[in-house]
Amino acid sequence: MGDDDGLEVTYEYVRIADLIAADIAAGRIPVGGRLPGEQELADMHGVSVSTSRRVRRELARRGLVRALPAKGTFVIRTTAVEDGNAETPPPGP
Protein backbone atom coordinates (compact mmCIF):
# COMPACT_ATOMS: atom_id res chain seq x y z
CA MET A 1 0.00 0.00 0.00
CA GLY A 2 1.35 3.35 -0.98
CA ASP A 3 0.43 6.89 -0.14
CA ASP A 4 -1.99 7.04 -3.08
CA ASP A 5 -4.07 3.98 -2.22
CA GLY A 6 -7.22 6.06 -1.64
CA LEU A 7 -7.48 5.23 2.06
CA GLU A 8 -8.06 8.06 4.47
CA VAL A 9 -7.14 7.41 8.08
CA THR A 10 -9.01 9.48 10.63
CA TYR A 11 -8.80 9.33 14.40
CA GLU A 12 -12.07 8.20 15.98
CA TYR A 13 -12.33 11.37 18.10
CA VAL A 14 -12.00 13.52 14.96
CA ARG A 15 -14.67 11.46 13.16
CA ILE A 16 -17.09 11.90 16.07
CA ALA A 17 -16.23 15.61 16.41
CA ASP A 18 -16.99 16.00 12.69
CA LEU A 19 -20.41 14.36 13.20
CA ILE A 20 -21.23 16.66 16.12
CA ALA A 21 -19.92 19.72 14.24
CA ALA A 22 -22.26 18.81 11.36
CA ASP A 23 -25.18 18.57 13.82
CA ILE A 24 -24.25 21.99 15.20
CA ALA A 25 -23.96 23.53 11.72
CA ALA A 26 -27.35 22.07 10.74
CA GLY A 27 -28.99 23.51 13.86
CA ARG A 28 -29.74 20.10 15.40
CA ILE A 29 -27.70 21.28 18.41
CA PRO A 30 -28.41 25.02 18.72
CA VAL A 31 -26.24 27.76 20.16
CA GLY A 32 -26.64 27.45 23.93
CA GLY A 33 -27.43 23.74 23.58
CA ARG A 34 -25.67 21.38 25.95
CA LEU A 35 -23.66 18.43 24.68
CA PRO A 36 -24.18 15.05 26.32
CA GLY A 37 -21.93 14.36 29.29
CA GLU A 38 -18.67 12.45 28.84
CA GLN A 39 -20.11 9.04 29.76
CA GLU A 40 -23.26 9.53 27.69
CA LEU A 41 -21.24 10.67 24.67
CA ALA A 42 -18.96 7.64 25.07
CA ASP A 43 -21.95 5.29 25.28
CA MET A 44 -23.67 6.90 22.28
CA HIS A 45 -20.63 6.34 20.05
CA GLY A 46 -19.27 3.14 21.56
CA VAL A 47 -15.98 4.68 22.64
CA SER A 48 -14.11 5.20 25.90
CA VAL A 49 -14.67 8.19 28.16
CA SER A 50 -11.14 9.38 27.35
CA THR A 51 -12.10 9.44 23.65
CA SER A 52 -15.25 11.43 24.45
CA ARG A 53 -13.04 13.92 26.32
CA ARG A 54 -10.87 14.27 23.21
CA VAL A 55 -14.03 14.89 21.14
CA ARG A 56 -15.03 17.75 23.42
CA ARG A 57 -11.50 19.19 23.37
CA GLU A 58 -11.49 19.02 19.57
CA LEU A 59 -14.82 20.83 19.35
CA ALA A 60 -13.49 23.47 21.76
CA ARG A 61 -10.32 23.80 19.67
CA ARG A 62 -12.54 24.48 16.66
CA GLY A 63 -14.28 27.21 18.66
CA LEU A 64 -17.69 25.49 18.56
CA VAL A 65 -18.18 24.74 22.26
CA ARG A 66 -17.10 25.92 25.67
CA ALA A 67 -16.95 23.84 28.85
CA LEU A 68 -18.28 25.35 32.05
CA PRO A 69 -16.98 23.54 35.15
CA ALA A 70 -19.72 21.57 36.95
CA LYS A 71 -22.26 22.73 34.32
CA GLY A 72 -21.39 20.98 31.07
CA THR A 73 -20.22 21.76 27.55
CA PHE A 74 -22.30 24.20 25.50
CA VAL A 75 -22.43 25.26 21.87
CA ILE A 76 -21.16 28.82 21.44
CA ARG A 77 -21.17 29.14 17.62
CA THR A 78 -22.34 27.19 14.59
CA THR A 79 -19.24 27.42 12.39
CA ALA A 80 -15.68 26.56 13.26
CA VAL A 81 -13.14 29.28 13.81
CA GLU A 82 -10.45 29.17 11.14
CA ASP A 83 -7.19 27.83 12.60
CA GLY A 84 -9.03 26.86 15.79
CA ASN A 85 -9.78 28.77 18.91
CA ALA A 86 -6.95 30.87 20.36
CA GLU A 87 -8.13 30.02 23.88
CA THR A 88 -7.67 26.29 23.31
CA PRO A 89 -4.24 25.26 22.09
CA PRO A 90 -3.97 22.53 19.43
CA PRO A 91 -3.53 18.98 20.73
CA GLY A 92 0.03 17.98 21.49
CA PRO A 93 1.87 15.14 19.77
Side-chain angles (χ1 to χ4, degrees):
M1 290 185 152
D3 289 337
D4 296 325
D5 57 14
L7 293 176
E8 184 177 328
V9 177
T10 304
Y11 288 108
E12 189 68 3
Y13 78 94
V14 173
R15 185 188 69 76
I16 295 167
D18 288 345
L19 292 172
I20 295 171
D23 283 346
I24 292 169
R28 289 186 287 272
I29 307 173
V31 171
R34 186 177 180 274
L35 293 186
E38 290 177 351
Q39 185 63 58
E40 185 180 356
L41 188 64
D43 292 344
M44 288 171 61
H45 293 280
V47 296
S48 68
V49 171
S50 64
T51 298
S52 75
R53 282 186 195 118
R54 290 187 81 176
V55 169
R56 291 162 42 141
R57 279 196 305 261
E58 175 64 14
L59 292 168
R61 186 195 67 76
R62 296 180 191 185
L64 295 172
V65 302
R66 175 169 290 148
L68 299 176
K71 298 290 183 188
T73 301
F74 297 87
V75 175
I76 59 171
R77 68 175 48 88
T78 59
T79 56
V81 176
E82 192 171 326
D83 296 326
N85 180 355
E87 294 177 15
T88 306

XYZ file of all heavy atoms in Angstrom:
694
model
N 0.842 -1.190 0.000
C 0.000 0.000 0.000
C 0.878 1.241 0.000
O 1.711 1.410 0.866
C -0.877 0.043 1.236
C -1.958 -0.973 1.281
S -2.952 -0.653 2.752
C -4.456 -1.309 2.171
N 0.596 2.118 -0.909
C 1.345 3.355 -0.984
C 0.546 4.512 -0.452
O -0.565 4.350 0.054
N 1.101 5.693 -0.604
C 0.429 6.893 -0.135
C -0.800 7.233 -0.961
O -1.678 7.944 -0.503
C 1.393 8.085 -0.153
C 2.460 7.963 0.937
O 2.203 7.248 1.926
O 3.523 8.579 0.792
N -0.882 6.711 -2.185
C -1.991 7.041 -3.079
C -2.981 5.896 -3.214
O -3.576 5.700 -4.256
C -1.449 7.409 -4.471
C -0.602 8.668 -4.436
O -0.934 9.573 -3.649
O 0.390 8.729 -5.187
N -3.181 5.134 -2.136
C -4.069 3.980 -2.215
C -5.536 4.334 -2.002
O -6.397 3.471 -2.017
C -3.640 2.888 -1.236
C -3.571 3.381 0.201
O -4.098 4.465 0.482
O -2.984 2.678 1.036
N -5.837 5.615 -1.787
C -7.223 6.057 -1.637
C -7.778 5.905 -0.237
O -8.924 6.245 0.007
N -7.006 5.382 0.697
C -7.480 5.234 2.060
C -7.233 6.508 2.843
O -6.173 7.111 2.741
C -6.762 4.074 2.758
C -7.043 2.680 2.226
C -6.175 1.663 2.969
C -8.498 2.326 2.361
N -8.215 6.891 3.611
C -8.060 8.063 4.469
C -8.175 7.605 5.915
O -9.184 7.019 6.300
C -9.143 9.098 4.171
C -8.970 10.361 4.964
C -10.017 11.407 4.614
O -10.450 11.446 3.460
O -10.385 12.168 5.513
N -7.145 7.821 6.685
C -7.139 7.414 8.080
C -7.536 8.614 8.921
O -6.962 9.696 8.792
C -5.744 6.892 8.488
C -5.720 6.530 9.959
C -5.359 5.703 7.636
N -8.534 8.415 9.770
C -9.013 9.482 10.634
C -9.106 8.946 12.054
O -9.600 7.841 12.263
C -10.407 9.971 10.189
O -10.351 10.366 8.829
C -10.887 11.132 11.031
N -8.632 9.717 13.006
C -8.801 9.326 14.400
C -10.284 9.298 14.734
O -11.066 10.106 14.246
C -8.089 10.310 15.332
C -6.588 10.195 15.291
C -5.815 11.181 14.688
C -5.948 9.104 15.865
C -4.437 11.070 14.658
C -4.572 8.994 15.843
C -3.818 9.981 15.229
O -2.465 9.875 15.201
N -10.671 8.364 15.606
C -12.073 8.205 15.979
C -12.630 9.489 16.610
O -13.746 9.892 16.331
C -12.227 7.013 16.928
C -13.650 6.621 17.201
C -14.387 6.042 16.003
O -13.813 5.873 14.913
O -15.590 5.776 16.167
N -11.835 10.150 17.461
C -12.332 11.368 18.095
C -12.586 12.468 17.073
O -13.525 13.251 17.217
C -11.405 11.840 19.225
C -10.150 12.562 18.795
C -10.120 13.945 18.723
C -8.991 11.859 18.461
C -8.972 14.614 18.336
C -7.840 12.516 18.088
C -7.831 13.892 18.017
O -6.699 14.561 17.633
N -11.790 12.519 16.012
C -11.998 13.518 14.958
C -13.261 13.178 14.173
O -14.062 14.056 13.849
C -10.770 13.611 14.029
C -11.049 14.516 12.832
C -9.559 14.104 14.799
N -13.478 11.894 13.886
C -14.673 11.465 13.160
C -15.934 11.840 13.941
O -16.880 12.402 13.383
C -14.633 9.950 12.920
C -15.793 9.448 12.050
C -15.837 7.942 11.999
N -16.214 7.342 13.268
C -17.457 7.308 13.750
N -18.454 7.853 13.070
N -17.722 6.750 14.902
N -15.926 11.578 15.239
C -17.090 11.904 16.073
C -17.251 13.416 16.187
O -18.372 13.934 16.105
C -16.961 11.241 17.460
C -16.993 9.711 17.302
C -18.082 11.709 18.390
C -16.573 8.955 18.548
N -16.151 14.141 16.355
C -16.226 15.607 16.408
C -16.805 16.156 15.110
O -17.614 17.098 15.133
C -14.851 16.205 16.680
N -16.439 15.565 13.976
C -16.995 15.997 12.686
C -18.505 15.776 12.640
O -19.242 16.621 12.128
C -16.331 15.254 11.526
C -14.895 15.678 11.265
O -14.472 16.738 11.783
O -14.199 14.937 10.541
N -18.967 14.641 13.169
C -20.407 14.362 13.201
C -21.150 15.393 14.054
O -22.197 15.915 13.651
C -20.670 12.955 13.758
C -20.231 11.772 12.915
C -20.394 10.476 13.702
C -21.027 11.718 11.624
N -20.592 15.683 15.220
C -21.231 16.657 16.119
C -21.161 18.054 15.512
O -22.139 18.812 15.574
C -20.594 16.595 17.520
C -20.887 15.230 18.147
C -21.119 17.737 18.405
C -20.128 14.961 19.436
N -20.041 18.408 14.893
C -19.919 19.716 14.240
C -20.972 19.855 13.135
O -21.551 20.937 12.963
C -18.515 19.900 13.676
N -21.231 18.776 12.405
C -22.265 18.813 11.358
C -23.643 19.013 11.976
O -24.468 19.768 11.434
C -22.226 17.526 10.530
N -23.903 18.371 13.117
C -25.184 18.573 13.816
C -25.321 20.015 14.288
O -26.401 20.610 14.209
C -25.298 17.635 15.023
C -25.637 16.206 14.638
O -26.050 15.969 13.479
O -25.481 15.316 15.498
N -24.229 20.596 14.756
C -24.247 21.992 15.203
C -24.508 22.907 14.005
O -25.373 23.794 14.060
C -22.926 22.359 15.914
C -22.822 21.612 17.245
C -22.818 23.872 16.120
C -21.452 21.692 17.916
N -23.798 22.685 12.908
C -23.962 23.534 11.717
C -25.373 23.442 11.148
O -25.903 24.430 10.638
C -22.934 23.138 10.655
N -25.994 22.268 11.265
C -27.347 22.066 10.737
C -28.431 22.552 11.696
O -29.617 22.509 11.360
C -27.560 20.589 10.421
N -28.022 23.006 12.891
C -28.994 23.506 13.857
C -29.630 22.426 14.715
O -30.528 22.705 15.499
N -29.192 21.179 14.569
C -29.739 20.100 15.400
C -29.297 20.239 16.855
O -29.968 19.747 17.757
C -29.357 18.732 14.832
C -30.114 18.414 13.533
C -29.851 17.008 13.040
N -28.523 16.849 12.479
C -28.210 17.087 11.199
N -29.141 17.506 10.357
N -26.979 16.905 10.770
N -28.139 20.887 17.062
C -27.704 21.279 18.408
C -27.522 22.794 18.330
O -26.569 23.276 17.728
C -26.390 20.599 18.830
C -26.476 19.073 18.680
C -26.058 20.961 20.281
C -25.153 18.355 18.924
N -28.453 23.558 18.884
C -28.415 25.019 18.717
C -27.384 25.693 19.613
O -26.900 25.106 20.583
C -29.831 25.434 19.126
C -30.245 24.401 20.123
C -29.608 23.109 19.655
N -27.078 26.945 19.292
C -26.236 27.759 20.164
C -26.908 27.787 21.536
O -28.106 27.983 21.648
C -26.064 29.188 19.601
C -25.381 30.088 20.615
C -25.272 29.149 18.299
N -26.118 27.541 22.567
C -26.643 27.446 23.925
C -27.019 26.030 24.306
O -27.244 25.741 25.471
N -27.093 25.142 23.312
C -27.430 23.744 23.580
C -26.294 23.052 24.301
O -25.116 23.359 24.101
N -26.657 22.110 25.149
C -25.674 21.378 25.953
C -25.361 20.048 25.275
O -26.267 19.345 24.852
C -26.243 21.127 27.342
C -25.280 20.514 28.321
C -25.971 20.375 29.706
N -25.081 19.786 30.670
C -24.928 18.474 30.831
N -25.604 17.628 30.086
N -24.101 18.015 31.747
N -24.068 19.735 25.195
C -23.659 18.431 24.675
C -23.908 17.372 25.741
O -23.924 17.681 26.945
C -22.169 18.427 24.325
C -21.697 19.298 23.182
C -20.214 19.024 22.909
C -22.503 19.088 21.930
N -24.074 16.125 25.322
C -24.178 15.050 26.320
C -22.927 15.011 27.188
O -21.843 15.423 26.758
C -24.273 13.781 25.458
C -24.709 14.247 24.108
C -24.158 15.639 23.955
N -23.066 14.511 28.399
C -21.925 14.360 29.289
C -20.921 13.362 28.728
O -21.206 12.640 27.764
N -19.748 13.307 29.340
C -18.669 12.449 28.844
C -19.100 10.990 28.732
O -18.859 10.341 27.715
C -17.445 12.556 29.741
C -16.748 13.882 29.637
C -15.566 14.001 30.580
O -15.362 13.118 31.443
O -14.836 15.002 30.450
N -19.711 10.452 29.782
C -20.106 9.042 29.763
C -21.199 8.796 28.728
O -21.151 7.818 27.984
C -20.586 8.592 31.152
C -20.889 7.112 31.219
C -19.657 6.249 30.978
O -18.668 6.365 31.685
N -19.698 5.382 29.971
N -22.171 9.685 28.659
C -23.260 9.525 27.690
C -22.732 9.598 26.250
O -23.121 8.802 25.399
C -24.331 10.599 27.911
C -25.540 10.414 27.015
C -26.613 11.469 27.234
O -26.462 12.321 28.136
O -27.597 11.437 26.483
N -21.841 10.540 26.001
C -21.243 10.674 24.672
C -20.458 9.406 24.321
O -20.552 8.897 23.191
C -20.327 11.900 24.633
C -19.771 12.311 23.284
C -20.896 12.730 22.333
C -18.787 13.461 23.448
N -19.715 8.878 25.288
C -18.963 7.641 25.066
C -19.909 6.485 24.746
O -19.676 5.728 23.793
C -18.114 7.319 26.297
N -20.980 6.366 25.508
C -21.947 5.294 25.281
C -22.634 5.432 23.921
O -22.855 4.436 23.222
C -23.004 5.278 26.383
C -22.445 4.871 27.743
O -21.326 4.314 27.799
O -23.127 5.128 28.754
N -22.976 6.653 23.550
C -23.666 6.902 22.276
C -22.831 6.455 21.077
O -23.378 5.986 20.082
C -23.979 8.396 22.119
C -25.073 8.912 23.008
S -25.197 10.726 22.964
C -25.570 11.032 21.255
N -21.510 6.618 21.189
C -20.630 6.344 20.053
C -19.786 5.083 20.227
O -18.969 4.773 19.361
C -19.735 7.561 19.788
C -20.512 8.741 19.312
N -20.932 8.895 18.018
C -20.990 9.825 19.978
C -21.619 10.011 17.894
N -21.664 10.595 19.076
N -19.993 4.382 21.336
C -19.269 3.135 21.557
C -17.775 3.314 21.719
O -16.986 2.514 21.218
N -17.390 4.391 22.410
C -15.975 4.684 22.637
C -15.723 4.854 24.130
O -16.654 4.867 24.928
C -15.523 5.957 21.872
C -15.640 5.754 20.370
C -16.306 7.183 22.320
N -14.470 5.002 24.495
C -14.113 5.203 25.899
C -14.414 6.646 26.324
O -14.556 7.537 25.483
C -12.627 4.906 26.117
O -11.844 5.883 25.462
N -14.462 6.846 27.627
C -14.667 8.191 28.161
C -13.496 9.091 27.767
O -13.689 10.270 27.465
C -14.861 8.154 29.701
C -14.849 9.550 30.294
C -16.171 7.455 30.044
N -12.284 8.548 27.737
C -11.140 9.380 27.349
C -11.286 9.843 25.896
O -10.909 10.973 25.565
C -9.811 8.659 27.573
O -9.704 7.528 26.752
N -11.855 9.012 25.030
C -12.099 9.440 23.653
C -13.170 10.524 23.619
O -13.036 11.505 22.878
C -12.508 8.244 22.767
O -11.424 7.307 22.748
C -12.821 8.679 21.345
N -14.213 10.383 24.433
C -15.249 11.425 24.449
C -14.682 12.750 24.955
O -15.080 13.816 24.488
C -16.472 10.993 25.266
O -16.244 11.029 26.645
N -13.711 12.690 25.868
C -13.044 13.924 26.319
C -12.282 14.565 25.166
O -12.289 15.787 25.019
C -12.072 13.629 27.454
C -12.730 13.438 28.777
C -11.715 13.304 29.905
N -12.384 12.767 31.068
C -12.087 11.615 31.643
N -11.085 10.885 31.201
N -12.769 11.210 32.680
N -11.619 13.749 24.361
C -10.871 14.274 23.207
C -11.831 14.900 22.195
O -11.492 15.906 21.566
C -10.053 13.166 22.556
C -8.895 12.731 23.430
C -8.000 11.759 22.727
N -7.098 12.516 21.856
C -6.136 11.972 21.148
N -5.942 10.674 21.182
N -5.366 12.717 20.392
N -13.019 14.319 22.042
C -14.028 14.888 21.141
C -14.374 16.294 21.611
O -14.382 17.245 20.822
C -15.300 14.007 21.096
C -16.444 14.720 20.382
C -15.011 12.661 20.436
N -14.660 16.443 22.888
C -15.033 17.750 23.421
C -13.890 18.754 23.301
O -14.107 19.912 22.976
C -15.502 17.607 24.873
C -16.843 16.876 24.932
C -17.179 16.325 26.276
N -16.877 17.214 27.367
C -17.636 17.357 28.427
N -18.739 16.680 28.552
N -17.279 18.161 29.388
N -12.653 18.290 23.544
C -11.496 19.192 23.368
C -11.352 19.613 21.913
O -11.021 20.767 21.626
C -10.210 18.513 23.858
C -10.029 18.590 25.353
C -8.609 18.269 25.780
N -8.147 16.974 25.302
C -8.126 15.865 26.022
N -8.541 15.885 27.272
N -7.687 14.738 25.517
N -11.585 18.691 20.998
C -11.487 19.016 19.570
C -12.547 20.036 19.171
O -12.263 20.990 18.436
C -11.628 17.738 18.732
C -11.661 17.962 17.238
C -10.385 18.549 16.644
O -9.329 18.579 17.309
O -10.455 19.003 15.481
N -13.765 19.863 19.655
C -14.823 20.826 19.350
C -14.499 22.194 19.953
O -14.759 23.233 19.329
C -16.174 20.315 19.849
C -16.709 19.090 19.111
C -17.895 18.493 19.868
C -17.095 19.437 17.679
N -13.903 22.212 21.142
C -13.489 23.475 21.759
C -12.362 24.110 20.949
O -12.342 25.326 20.739
C -13.053 23.241 23.206
N -11.418 23.285 20.484
C -10.319 23.799 19.668
C -10.851 24.455 18.402
O -10.332 25.479 17.955
C -9.353 22.665 19.303
C -8.100 23.150 18.583
C -7.335 22.032 17.927
N -8.047 21.429 16.828
C -8.193 21.967 15.615
N -7.674 23.143 15.340
N -8.859 21.349 14.662
N -11.922 23.912 17.869
C -12.541 24.477 16.663
C -13.362 25.724 16.974
O -13.845 26.396 16.071
C -13.450 23.445 15.995
C -12.708 22.234 15.480
C -13.666 21.266 14.840
N -13.023 19.988 14.564
C -13.614 18.996 13.907
N -14.855 19.139 13.447
N -12.984 17.863 13.703
N -13.532 26.024 18.268
C -14.278 27.209 18.660
C -15.780 27.022 18.644
O -16.524 27.996 18.668
N -16.247 25.766 18.627
C -17.687 25.495 18.556
C -18.348 25.391 19.921
O -19.538 25.668 20.053
C -17.944 24.199 17.778
C -17.555 24.227 16.306
C -17.671 22.837 15.704
C -18.422 25.220 15.549
N -17.603 24.960 20.930
C -18.177 24.736 22.260
C -17.273 25.325 23.332
O -16.096 25.590 23.103
C -18.402 23.228 22.545
C -19.320 22.591 21.520
C -17.088 22.474 22.638
N -17.867 25.493 24.496
C -17.103 25.925 25.671
C -17.586 25.106 26.861
O -18.792 24.946 27.065
C -17.310 27.405 25.952
C -16.619 27.824 27.257
C -16.554 29.296 27.463
N -15.596 29.836 26.492
C -15.701 31.035 25.951
N -16.710 31.812 26.257
N -14.802 31.458 25.099
N -16.627 24.605 27.648
C -16.950 23.843 28.850
C -17.058 24.785 30.038
O -16.200 25.655 30.219
C -15.890 22.786 29.111
N -18.099 24.609 30.805
C -18.278 25.355 32.047
C -18.173 24.352 33.193
O -18.982 23.417 33.271
C -19.639 26.051 32.078
C -19.882 27.088 30.980
C -21.301 27.623 31.057
C -18.873 28.215 31.086
N -17.177 24.503 34.071
C -16.985 23.544 35.150
C -18.270 23.303 35.945
O -18.986 24.236 36.285
C -15.904 24.193 36.023
C -15.151 25.079 35.072
C -16.194 25.584 34.106
N -18.549 22.039 36.185
C -19.715 21.573 36.946
C -21.047 21.896 36.274
O -22.096 21.693 36.870
C -19.690 22.126 38.366
N -21.019 22.398 35.042
C -22.255 22.726 34.325
C -22.418 21.892 33.063
O -23.504 21.472 32.725
C -22.296 24.213 33.944
C -22.279 25.152 35.111
C -23.571 25.084 35.865
C -23.557 26.100 36.998
N -24.695 25.950 37.883
N -21.319 21.731 32.312
C -21.387 20.982 31.066
C -20.669 21.710 29.952
O -19.992 22.714 30.165
N -20.844 21.190 28.745
C -20.223 21.764 27.555
C -21.329 22.269 26.653
O -22.260 21.526 26.331
C -19.357 20.718 26.834
O -18.356 20.258 27.753
C -18.683 21.296 25.608
N -21.225 23.532 26.235
C -22.299 24.201 25.505
C -21.820 24.731 24.159
O -20.680 25.181 24.029
C -22.845 25.362 26.347
C -23.456 24.901 27.641
C -22.668 24.740 28.767
C -24.805 24.597 27.716
C -23.208 24.293 29.957
C -25.363 24.143 28.910
C -24.564 23.996 30.031
N -22.719 24.714 23.191
C -22.426 25.259 21.867
C -22.366 26.775 21.968
O -23.268 27.406 22.537
C -23.511 24.829 20.853
C -23.280 25.493 19.497
C -23.545 23.315 20.715
N -21.295 27.362 21.409
C -21.162 28.822 21.443
C -21.200 29.446 20.051
O -21.356 30.645 19.922
C -19.883 29.263 22.193
C -18.625 28.691 21.553
C -19.976 28.906 23.666
C -17.323 29.257 22.101
N -21.036 28.641 18.994
C -21.174 29.142 17.617
C -21.425 27.965 16.704
O -21.154 26.828 17.065
C -19.976 29.968 17.170
C -18.687 29.230 17.005
C -17.545 30.091 16.433
N -17.360 31.366 17.068
C -16.594 31.591 18.134
N -15.928 30.609 18.672
N -16.473 32.786 18.639
N -21.943 28.258 15.500
C -22.339 27.187 14.588
C -21.306 26.865 13.517
O -21.432 25.859 12.831
C -23.672 27.520 13.900
O -23.527 28.749 13.190
C -24.798 27.628 14.910
N -20.293 27.707 13.362
C -19.243 27.424 12.390
C -17.891 27.485 13.084
O -17.680 28.305 13.981
C -19.254 28.422 11.213
O -19.156 29.748 11.722
C -20.525 28.289 10.391
N -17.001 26.636 12.640
C -15.683 26.559 13.256
C -14.891 27.836 13.002
O -15.062 28.503 11.985
C -14.917 25.360 12.709
N -14.037 28.152 13.936
C -13.136 29.284 13.808
C -11.935 28.817 13.000
O -11.329 27.790 13.309
C -12.675 29.772 15.201
C -11.656 30.882 15.077
C -13.855 30.211 16.036
N -11.594 29.555 11.956
C -10.447 29.172 11.136
C -9.197 29.115 11.993
O -8.958 29.993 12.817
C -10.263 30.162 9.991
C -9.291 29.674 8.946
C -9.280 30.558 7.711
O -10.333 31.086 7.350
O -8.193 30.702 7.140
N -8.414 28.071 11.830
C -7.190 27.827 12.597
C -7.471 27.564 14.073
O -6.586 27.687 14.909
C -6.188 28.980 12.463
C -5.698 29.142 11.038
O -5.566 28.116 10.341
O -5.458 30.285 10.626
N -8.704 27.223 14.412
C -9.030 26.865 15.786
C -9.277 28.073 16.668
O -9.304 29.215 16.227
N -9.458 27.781 17.909
C -9.783 28.771 18.915
C -8.503 29.148 19.655
O -7.817 28.281 20.182
C -10.808 28.151 19.878
C -11.231 29.062 20.973
O -10.716 30.162 21.113
N -12.166 28.614 21.773
N -8.194 30.410 19.715
C -6.952 30.868 20.358
C -6.920 30.513 21.840
O -5.855 30.393 22.434
C -6.789 32.372 20.172
N -8.091 30.332 22.458
C -8.132 30.019 23.884
C -7.790 28.554 24.159
O -7.452 28.198 25.261
C -9.523 30.312 24.440
C -9.862 31.782 24.421
C -11.267 32.049 24.919
O -11.875 31.142 25.541
O -11.777 33.132 24.690
N -7.928 27.703 23.151
C -7.668 26.286 23.312
C -6.526 25.889 22.402
O -6.687 25.896 21.183
C -8.915 25.456 22.968
O -10.003 25.940 23.747
C -8.693 23.984 23.261
N -5.362 25.590 22.940
C -4.236 25.258 22.092
C -4.475 23.961 21.328
O -5.268 23.128 21.765
C -3.072 25.106 23.074
C -3.703 24.845 24.380
C -5.064 25.491 24.363
N -3.819 23.773 20.189
C -3.972 22.528 19.435
C -3.458 21.349 20.251
O -2.623 21.516 21.147
C -3.127 22.740 18.188
C -2.264 23.905 18.470
C -2.890 24.699 19.570
N -3.980 20.145 19.964
C -3.529 18.982 20.728
C -2.046 18.742 20.537
O -1.502 18.987 19.456
C -4.352 17.825 20.146
C -4.941 18.329 18.885
C -4.919 19.825 18.932
N -1.395 18.276 21.561
C 0.027 17.978 21.492
C 0.285 16.683 20.747
O -0.651 15.960 20.415
N 1.521 16.376 20.505
C 1.866 15.142 19.774
C 1.519 13.892 20.549
O 1.396 13.844 21.703
C 3.371 15.258 19.567
C 3.845 16.373 20.419
C 2.657 17.153 20.866
